[in-house]
Amino acid sequence: MRGLKVFSGRANIKLTEAICQYLKIPSVGKISLGNFPDGENFCKILDDVRGRDVFLVQPTCPPVNENLMELLIMIDSCKRASATRITAVLPYFGYARQDRKDDGRVPITAKLVANLITRAGADRVLTMDLHAAQIQGFFDVPVDHLYAAPVLNKHFHDLGVEADNLVIVSPDEGSTKRALGHVRRLGGSLAIVDKRRTSPTDTTQANIIGGPIEGRVAIIFDDMISTAGSICGAAQAVKDAGAIEVHVAASHGVLCGHAREKIDAAPIDSVVVTDSINIAREQRSEKLKFVTVAPLLAEAIRRIHHDQSISQMFGDNH
Amino acid sequence: MRGLKVFSGRANIKLTEAICQYLKIPSVGKISLGNFPDGENFCKILDDVRGRDVFLVQPTCPPVNENLMELLIMIDSCKRASATRITAVLPYFGYARQDRKDDGRVPITAKLVANLITRAGADRVLTMDLHAAQIQGFFDVPVDHLYAAPVLNKHFHDLGVEADNLVIVSPDEGSTKRALGHVRRLGGSLAIVDKRRTSPTDTTQANIIGGPIEGRVAIIFDDMISTAGSICGAAQAVKDAGAIEVHVAASHGVLCGHAREKIDAAPIDSVVVTDSINIAREQRSEKLKFVTVAPLLAEAIRRIHHDQSISQMFGDNH
Amino acid sequence: MRGLKVFSGRANIKLTEAICQYLKIPSVGKISLGNFPDGENFCKILDDVRGRDVFLVQPTCPPVNENLMELLIMIDSCKRASATRITAVLPYFGYARQDRKDDGRVPITAKLVANLITRAGADRVLTMDLHAAQIQGFFDVPVDHLYAAPVLNKHFHDLGVEADNLVIVSPDEGSTKRALGHVRRLGGSLAIVDKRRTSPTDTTQANIIGGPIEGRVAIIFDDMISTAGSICGAAQAVKDAGAIEVHVAASHGVLCGHAREKIDAAPIDSVVVTDSINIAREQRSEKLKFVTVAPLLAEAIRRIHHDQSISQMFGDNH
Amino acid sequence: MRGLKVFSGRANIKLTEAICQYLKIPSVGKISLGNFPDGENFCKILDDVRGRDVFLVQPTCPPVNENLMELLIMIDSCKRASATRITAVLPYFGYARQDRKDDGRVPITAKLVANLITRAGADRVLTMDLHAAQIQGFFDVPVDHLYAAPVLNKHFHDLGVEADNLVIVSPDEGSTKRALGHVRRLGGSLAIVDKRRTSPTDTTQANIIGGPIEGRVAIIFDDMISTAGSICGAAQAVKDAGAIEVHVAASHGVLCGHAREKIDAAPIDSVVVTDSINIAREQRSEKLKFVTVAPLLAEAIRRIHHDQSISQMFGDNH
Amino acid sequence: MRGLKVFSGRANIKLTEAICQYLKIPSVGKISLGNFPDGENFCKILDDVRGRDVFLVQPTCPPVNENLMELLIMIDSCKRASATRITAVLPYFGYARQDRKDDGRVPITAKLVANLITRAGADRVLTMDLHAAQIQGFFDVPVDHLYAAPVLNKHFHDLGVEADNLVIVSPDEGSTKRALGHVRRLGGSLAIVDKRRTSPTDTTQANIIGGPIEGRVAIIFDDMISTAGSICGAAQAVKDAGAIEVHVAASHGVLCGHAREKIDAAPIDSVVVTDSINIAREQRSEKLKFVTVAPLLAEAIRRIHHDQSISQMFGDNH
Amino acid sequence: MRGLKVFSGRANIKLTEAICQYLKIPSVGKISLGNFPDGENFCKILDDVRGRDVFLVQPTCPPVNENLMELLIMIDSCKRASATRITAVLPYFGYARQDRKDDGRVPITAKLVANLITRAGADRVLTMDLHAAQIQGFFDVPVDHLYAAPVLNKHFHDLGVEADNLVIVSPDEGSTKRALGHVRRLGGSLAIVDKRRTSPTDTTQANIIGGPIEGRVAIIFDDMISTAGSICGAAQAVKDAGAIEVHVAASHGVLCGHAREKIDAAPIDSVVVTDSINIAREQRSEKLKFVTVAPLLAEAIRRIHHDQSISQMFGDNH
């Protein structure tokens, strides 16, 4: 596979190594990354990249500013070193929730980040399960957008849960469409957790719209889990409504703050996330299970490098 | 109000006239617009715009390509005529539903349109109820985004419907969040029409999640009504579920194809839209009611011209 | 001819098919183009274009705004689908007469169109007989500019008109240089129709400068025929001056309004145009003759794809 | 007139001084311009320009590269010194004849120059009698385009030539339209010098189309006079055809090579040019007369600075 | 001072408060800045900025990536909130030492940072004592570059050191020019510490070129102090050479790693830095003295806002 | 070596020929360059460049504006002729000393030049011994920066000067670092000529810091020699200090003004420069010796064309 070079930022070296293994590339590209004593990043690419098709793998997970800046500096290095094409690979695209102005005098940081990546010199972007699909339009360079849903669905399919006994739960009104997509693949009924407060002092009440839940296995789907507060509240509501098992699934395990404690304390049987983010050891609850997206990313990189269709990877039903 | 000039494309001259009346401007700016025999647009601005703060009002409703191109040509004319600042005012932003790539080899036309408007020379954009709020991020120039919701809510509030007797209906899973916003203002319960097909041949089935509906006044909220197919299907489902009245409300009355026939035939008591689009005579069902957004747009233009806050127009609850 | 893909907008599918036949490509690239009920264009490219050298054939003839917007959307689709190179092929470049500001507060729409095409993502442009050659300079991307003159000259050469018996006529002062080019190839004398009004009420008077015309076969050359008013007035003047035959030739048959009626009524023996534009059935006068530029465009596409010189196609005498 | 600053490059300081006099500005802005011993330009603006509306007067006449580069460096200095607005004033726009690609592998230098001026930081351009009006479209920034024709026409009007006794001559086919414009203002008949060679060895033959010339006063109009070869050939042809007086008029007196000798030797009674270019002493034939465009340029600068219409300067008949 | 708004990022709020006091502005602009639990920055500007002249004060000192990203997000917020002009004020410009490629496949991070600041939307930059003056040229927007040298010189002048007894020391060959500038103002002789290793194992040897040092008061000038290793080595060499006092002066006190321990242990009598960076408590050696640049920055902001010359602040001798 | 084309501007054809010989290319690319009578440049590329990898060799030495403009026009021609990649090869980069704003209201001409080269269409730059390495950062396109130091060092190494008997001299404080680099390669001691004036009337005094000089062979290194004033003053100071031989070495022999006379009169034994600039016959002192950088440039071009590392050319010690 001549001409292809895959480098890893420091955010998720393990994932990059797995990708390279699937690509049957001898090893991840050699690069020296670090920080000077004053915290400024340094970067020196050790392999030759002149004329190469370069992929830079770096989820912009926490510490997001460090990881983003490292990515931008890697792009600048490759551009000035005359790489033919630079693809920024962001298995997780941070700042994606700041994708609109729903208040006065706030930024649209997701667009800012898109502009910074392009300005630094990326020729294209490969990412996965953006918080909002519209973020693709924040770029003028081509974006290939992958979906972890088939990998997550396969996990539950392999567990052998029967559709008749299943309820797919959206943790809030905004995620209803995503939940519905999983219903289409896994079967089961649809329920939505409606977190409206009925009075200013009332913080715990959560209604459930749809269902039924009683006596069923519930799977709550979200795109990412950060502090796990929302997902744990939803799990409690579902459990209270009579679910016999509660599973949580998300593409991105951001897991910050007291996420582990909350998950451990909540009536949750398992939490499934992909390896898009390398989760800190202290956040690794025993309930946490991983499915890998390395083959997915590797296949996409292989197809991009060989000018083969990405949409064929998903058939007619992503 | 020296220095301010408001011009109208041919898409909705009546709205621009109403805006100018609210602005207490003597009249809409003089401009000669038309088509040569071969269909090419011509444009000559008759009032002087050098050094002026120019607002060009043009919803990109059908015929969308004609209206968009006319807007772009007006912008080019003003830029070359040395206007100090050009604000493209799109009360309705066409092509907004093509805001993502959810399939291979399709355009993101909403982003293309944003790029074209900026490339033509617009310094800023004023628009209303974008199909997706993320479209703001398609622009790097400032976008002021207005909401017709208060105007629509006031319409129903004035009708005196009691919250206890009300159900707010989302016509599909994707609009749940919008419906919830109206629940917060008008009260009532929330219901979602779930249009999943249960078998490939089954096209009419529509479940309702949430409620209750039985014996209540239902208001279905959507951002726009095009062919009215979706909204009429939802109205039927809600009626079947026992609603005593069914009202439909939307910001933008695109109303194309057989919309009027469908609306006339459906169990709908009224359809309320704003005057963001000048609706063709043949689409004007007797059920159709209008609320005007001219004061809203005029106030926004006034504030932009005088460097006053737009977000203050909406308080803390847009 | 691996890697080459030719797609057609809806403006002139027949021409694109002819081009593909000359290129010995199995067929025109598969693409789904159409309009939603509200008139918004949709586009889905069905063949894979990733890494391909894509040519999009679309004259921006009437309906010009529809055809232009369709072209822009096709470009956006190809760019986001990772085509390696996108060439916009405009056999006829609409809006070309709006190429300067000869009045206050008017647009330079030809430049606007050039900017839109580039902004959408075209890497290069292939066009033919621009109304003004300077429009090439409206682009910063490479423009290949073809000339239909040899094809038109060949048509008259094949008819066997003798140079001694020929007069080449410019229909106005601005086209004198073009007419002179045909004199250099076909021989004959040069005449210019001078349409100055001698008084405000005098609209019909047309002087002829140069000649002689008396007893000769006259060919009036123009770059395009729109409403045919100008060309028919010139024909009348030439006939009045004693021409025994009057032929009209133009690169682009825009033919709009009452063109057919005027041509049918005028003392014109034949009108020759190329197939750069697909002429509507109701405009097809029996006097109308076609010469094809498909081989010319096909050869240019072949040479661009294979990195061969275009200027060699014209030798030293275009 | 606070906030306005006018600086002069070294190409035509006298013209700038005249402009400032008409503007009633105390003096031309203070600037230090020169060359280091190795020929590199230096520039230091001595007056404060921060927040000012700056006009930089520099025709790009010979030595064109020196004058152009000096202009670009002045623009860069003003931009970095925080001028609010920078208008490049080019009374003569050099390289304008290289405005198209009429051969393979040649530049469009006029577009290149437009791009360089914009890239350096000019916010707008003020120029006069561009060789081709389309060059306005080479810019995306506003261009104000002045016409010297009224000034030249006034010169001949003041001479009292009667229309009945006058013939306006176009020195070649490409300038016919310009000549016709003067006919419309000054009256007289139109003649075109047709310089076609009838055989490869025949270089002197020049036919005249139109007229009559015999016994009339002829005025040959061109946009610029460079080596004067073309204009002197036309004068000879017109004289040979019986003109009793031959005058030549042009907007720009580039006058290079053996222009003076040719003019002195030709049957020309007078050559009238504007002071857009400061003509070298050795090129100043006794036949040469000047009309000044300083009031025209000054009035345009005044209007631009005060946001007043430029097109009003020309009424309906430029 | 209407229209002026000064906001502070979180890097050096104290400095911004001092600036506002000098500007006689009631208070620093109200802004809500912080981090979400996952570390993503949030920003909401609380004061209205529409149409205002906004200055955002943020040195990009450690943690550099956090501070830079916060600045970019503040710029994006102000741009989208329609500020008329945004000046990024970087009293210390981080990443400035990565200003060239002196090795293969490394970034030019200082240029990347300049590009990011411009791309985010800054209209101009105000900074101080850039590591290399050429970094001004990394920007196309205007940069005002201040010098702390007069403030530092005044500190030593006030101490009353006599020129005859003084030696100004450059800590390495690259800073010779800077040291020479201080010699010109303070008098004394010049010495350069030459840190060449004489053998691979020899790490401590430091020659001194110039002088004399013996019996003199030495001041070592550098642009910034990071780990203090270099400056402490130079101090030791100077002390070994017989200096009776050793002072260190620098514009920017980055002070990271073991800087405090090294300074405390070295034969240094005092270290003078400006307050461009808010030094962490644990780095505040008792030898550390501060001179404030708040009046300098405030005066520059005042002049920029009122369109007054910045270069006049430095007279002929910065 | 298919696809590679090397063209030469008129600044240094001899160097380009030598480069092509080293590249074993049959000949320099055919191009027609010249000036019209009015001084405007013309350019026609005679070889086909469509799809080629084009290198344009043009040092921007005196006459700098002519040479720069010719380079820009060549780039425009190649871009419009569809060259795949255009590398501007500037063996000497003029205007490099204007690389910062060290005074109010002056340009940063080196940045302006970088912007012009990029705007014209260069995809990359190959240059040598920039006056300041930071100029690389003035470009966003890749810059390959070569060093003549090894070639100059080899010249002196071949002369057999012993390190013990050698002193490397920096002609001023700003070049100390460069001199130190040569000490590292050639050995010897370091001396700096300190040109401070001790009183306003004292112009000739030059101190020497470091050394020793007495009885040694001195080599003064600079990056370029223009009027030779500075270098001759340094040579005199070194001679006065007792040097037995004085040699001068520089990468670029700009040699203008009275350079030859000064060199001939100064106590200089030899002046060594590279052939980056074609030195005018009247400046060729007998003391002048040349070392060629043609192999260096040829090897860099070869490596760029074949996507091979440039940094490997310099090992670890450039």
Side-chain angles (χ1 to χ4, degrees), chain E residues 193-315:
Chain E
V193 179
D194 174 10
K195 286 181 298 191
R196 270 172 296 154
R197 298 179 180 185
T198 51
S199 78
T201 56
D202 170 18
T203 58
T204 57
Q205 184 83 13
N207 298 318
I208 287 176
I209 303 175
I213 306 253
E214 178 77 39
R216 292 199 167 200
V217 172
I219 313 177
I220 307 173
F221 279 99
D222 213 343
D223 66 327
M224 71 177 81
I225 307 175
S226 296
T227 60
S230 160
I231 216 93
C232 290
Q236 187 66 54
V238 168
K239 193 71 181 182
D240 292 350
I244 54 170
E245 278 182 40
V246 180
H247 300 278
V248 170
S251 303
H252 306 296
V254 179
L255 296 180
C256 57
H258 299 285
R260 183 185 177 163
E261 289 90 322
K262 288 187 202 158
I263 288 169
D264 285 347
I268 293 175
D269 292 274
S270 77
V271 174
V272 188
V273 295
T274 79
D275 54 353
S276 65
I277 294 172
N278 186 23
I279 293 171
R281 192 173 301 269
E282 65 271 19
Q283 291 285 10
R284 301 204 178 188
S285 164
E286 299 216 339
K287 296 178 180 177
L288 208 61
K289 292 178 204 305
F290 291 95
V291 290
T292 182
V293 288
L296 185 73
L297 287 160
E299 177 63 14
I301 289 172
R302 201 186 62 73
R303 285 172 171 266
I304 292 169
H305 180 59
H306 289 301
D307 285 334
Q308 295 170 350
S309 170
I310 294 288
S311 57
Q312 284 176 8
M313 288 171 65
F314 296 98

Side-chain angles (χ1 to χ4, degrees), chain E residues 113-127:
Chain E
V113 166
N115 286 349
L116 300 183
I117 288 171
T118 306
R119 187 67 185 86
D123 296 299
R124 43 189 307 119
V125 166
L126 173 61
T127 189

Side-chain angles (χ1 to χ4, degrees), chain C residues 49-62:
Chain C
V49 295
R50 193 175 283 265
R52 299 303 198 287
D53 187 15
V54 174
F55 292 79
L56 305 174
V57 182
Q58 178 89 328
T60 49
C61 53

Side-chain angles (χ1 to χ4, degrees), chain A residues 38 40-41 65 95 97, chain E residues 38 40-41 65-66 95 97:
Chain A
D38 59 0
E40 293 186 358
N41 289 52
N65 295 335
Y95 277 115
R97 278 170 298 185
Chain E
D38 60 359
E40 293 185 358
N41 288 52
N65 296 333
E66 295 297 324
Y95 277 115
R97 279 171 295 185

Side-chain angles (χ1 to χ4, degrees), chain D residues 38 40-41 43-47 62 65-66 69 76-77 80 95 97-98 101 103-105 107-108, chain F residues 38 40-41 43-47 62 65-66 69 76-77 80 95 97-98 101 103-105 107-108:
Chain D
D38 59 359
E40 294 186 358
N41 289 52
C43 170
K44 178 167 166 60
I45 301 171
L46 301 172
D47 287 351
N65 296 334
E66 294 298 324
M69 196 65 196
D76 187 76
S77 304
R80 294 187 184 277
Y95 278 116
R97 279 169 297 185
Q98 301 193 34
K101 265 189 74 174
D103 198 357
R105 295 173 233 113
I108 305 184
Chain F
D38 60 359
E40 293 186 359
N41 289 52
C43 169
K44 178 165 166 60
I45 301 172
L46 302 173
D47 287 350
N65 296 334
E66 295 297 325
M69 196 63 194
D76 187 75
S77 304
R80 294 188 183 277
Y95 277 116
R97 278 169 299 185
Q98 300 194 36
K101 266 189 73 174
D103 198 357
R105 297 173 231 112
I108 305 185

Side-chain angles (χ1 to χ4, degrees), chain A residues 35-50 60-66 68-70 72-74 76-77 79-81 92-98 101 103-109 111-113 115-117 119-120 224 226-227 254 256-257, chain E residues 35-50 60-66 68-70 72-74 76-77 79-81 92-98 101 103-109 111-113 115-117 119-120 224 226-227 254 256-257:
Chain A
N35 295 82
F36 289 106
D38 59 0
E40 293 186 358
N41 289 52
F42 66 78
C43 170
K44 178 167 167 56
I45 301 172
L46 302 172
D47 286 352
D48 200 2
V49 294
R50 193 174 283 265
T60 48
C61 53
V64 56
N65 295 335
E66 295 296 325
L68 174 58
M69 195 65 195
E70 185 169 272
L72 298 177
I73 290 171
M74 290 166 72
D76 187 76
S77 305
K79 181 186 67 180
R80 294 188 184 277
Y92 168 71
F93 189 96
Y95 277 115
R97 278 170 298 185
Q98 301 194 34
K101 266 190 72 176
D103 198 357
R105 295 173 233 111
V106 297
I108 305 186
T109 312
K111 178 59 186 301
L112 171 66
V113 167
N115 286 349
L116 301 183
I117 289 171
R119 186 67 184 87
M224 72 177 82
S226 295
T227 59
V254 179
C256 56
Chain E
N35 295 82
F36 288 107
D38 60 359
E40 293 185 358
N41 288 52
F42 67 78
C43 169
K44 179 168 165 58
I45 301 171
L46 301 172
D47 287 352
D48 200 2
V49 295
R50 195 175 281 264
T60 48
C61 53
V64 56
N65 296 333
E66 295 297 324
L68 174 60
M69 196 65 195
E70 186 168 271
L72 299 177
I73 290 171
M74 290 167 72
D76 187 76
S77 304
K79 180 186 66 180
R80 294 188 183 277
Y92 169 69
F93 190 95
Y95 277 115
R97 279 171 295 185
Q98 301 192 35
K101 266 189 73 174
D103 198 356
R105 295 172 232 111
V106 297
I108 305 185
T109 312
K111 177 60 186 304
L112 172 65
V113 166
N115 286 349
L116 300 183
I117 288 171
R119 187 67 185 86
M224 71 177 81
S226 296
T227 60
V254 179
C256 57

Side-chain angles (χ1 to χ4, degrees), chain B residues 17-25 292 294-295 298-299:
Chain B
E17 287 170 344
I19 288 170
C20 288
Q21 214 170 331
Y22 280 99
L23 282 171
K24 300 202 168 70
I25 286 179
T292 183
E299 176 66 12

